[in-house]
Amino acid sequence: MVKSYYGIVYKFVYKKILKKADYEYDKQTKSWCASVGDLPGAYAQANTKKEVKERLAEVVEDYILVSIYQRKRLPNFKDFSKNLEHAKAYK
């Protein structure tokens, strides 16, 4: 069952959420910053755009998994909840 959840989270994070993320280079800190507007506090910072995208993916995945564990509703995640119910059917 855990494998099913991780597969869904991985697919969802990379195909849906990271495309909507905001990426910006900060000249003062000489680093890349990324955030997801739909997820308060989902923020990452790194030296390269590739690295910040990887870090943000980890932040978003943790955000989703903690929200599921705490039974908190995820904002604007209608497709995700449908896929999650589908994964539960394969227990």
Side-chain angles (χ1 to χ4, degrees), residues 12 17 38-39 60 62-68 71-78 80-81 84:
F12 191 77
I17 297 175
D38 290 343
L39 305 177
V60 170
D62 289 346
Y63 190 106
I64 292 169
L65 293 174
V66 168
S67 295
I68 290 169
R71 299 179 186 262
K72 291 185 178 178
R73 187 171 209 161
L74 294 163
N76 302 315
F77 281 61
K78 292 177 186 174
F80 181 73
S81 60
L84 190 57

